[in-house]
Amino acid sequence: MTDFVYYADLFGTAVFAVSGALAAGRLRMDPFGVTVLAAVTAIGGGTVRDTILGAAPVFWIHDTNYIWVVLITALVVMLLVRCPRRLSGLWFQMADAFGLALFTVIGAQKALSFGASPLIAVMMGVMTGVVGGMIRDVLCREVPLVLRKEIYATASILGGILYTISIQLGVEQVPAMLIAMGGALAIRVSAIYWRLSLPAFELNDLPKE
């Protein structure tokens, strides 16, 4: 199961790297820009998490396979994808949902292994899953997806809560991971399929004094 989680984590890294590379392509960035956006999207959340937890060195310094996955993914996208919209379909959204669920669980798991409280573990799980995309959107001069109506961070929060509660109740690690990932995936996939979104907070212009 450990090997499965590791290779699934690399797959999730590749999926998030594709997302960053496509965003760079839409803005007509050069190869360096494509690589930077792919990297921050794929490993940005985990880097921030490890920095906050004091996990030194951060995971991609300890295991350079993550860097190679990012570099190879960025290169493949630049060479093979002439029209970014080809990878913007439903299948990519599903793969991204899987990556979000997995990253959330891995983040929460790592936080608990460092002795963090359940609340902090949930926060670290969400951070692992969504911060990379937030950095990508900021660099693209867009309002981050997780701060808009899209049900994205909500799915991550649920996954983190399910995992930490399961561990607190004495559930073994593997079943706890499956429960948490299943919950996060269910919420995210439902939002994609039925186009669900959270209500927007709209503030009308205040009257001038």
Side-chain angles (χ1 to χ4, degrees):
M1 184 64 183
T2 302
D3 288 341
F4 169 77
V5 173
Y6 175 70
Y7 289 113
D9 192 23
L10 290 178
F11 171 75
T13 300
V15 170
F16 277 25
V18 169
S19 173
L22 291 178
R26 294 186 184 100
L27 294 178
R28 300 181 180 275
M29 293 186 180
D30 62 17
F32 179 74
V34 173
T35 304
V36 168
L37 250 63
V40 298
T41 307
I43 62 178
T47 300
V48 174
R49 175 205 64 213
D50 284 2
T51 302
I52 293 176
L53 291 175
V58 296
F59 70 101
W60 50 267
I61 293 179
H62 176 72
D63 185 351
T64 56
N65 284 335
Y66 289 93
I67 299 298
W68 285 113
V69 167
V70 169
L71 295 175
I72 292 171
T73 301
L75 179 61
V76 169
V77 170
M78 287 186 287
L79 291 178
L80 300 182
V81 184
R82 296 182 180 277
C83 179
R85 293 179 182 175
R86 293 177 183 174
L87 286 181
S88 61
L90 183 61
W91 77 268
F92 180 74
Q93 289 182 306
M94 295 300 180
D96 180 80
F98 173 81
L100 174 68
L102 180 65
F103 278 20
T104 297
V105 171
I106 289 176
Q109 184 183 70
K110 188 161 190 176
L112 291 176
S113 71
F114 272 74
S117 68
L119 175 61
I120 299 302
V122 172
M123 293 175 63
M124 292 299 104
V126 175
M127 188 172 294
T128 306
V130 308
V131 165
M134 292 179 69
I135 298 173
R136 174 202 63 210
D137 291 345
V138 169
L139 292 176
C140 292
R141 294 176 294 179
E142 297 178 355
V143 177
L145 176 67
V146 299
L147 302 182
R148 287 177 275 171
K149 296 189 296 181
E150 191 81 19
I151 296 179
Y152 196 85
T154 307
S156 181
I157 292 171
L158 175 64
I161 291 174
L162 287 175
Y163 180 77
T164 54
I165 289 178
S166 297
I167 293 298
Q168 293 296 309
L169 292 177
V171 179
E172 294 292 330
Q173 189 175 84
V174 172
M177 291 180 65
L178 294 177
I179 291 170
M181 289 182 63
L185 275 173
I187 294 296
R188 181 59 186 147
V189 171
S190 296
I192 293 171
Y193 186 79
W194 285 293
R195 298 181 180 178
L196 304 176
S197 62
L198 297 173
F201 174 67
E202 297 183 10
L203 183 64
N204 296 325
D205 293 336
L206 295 177
K208 297 181 181 180
E209 296 182 358

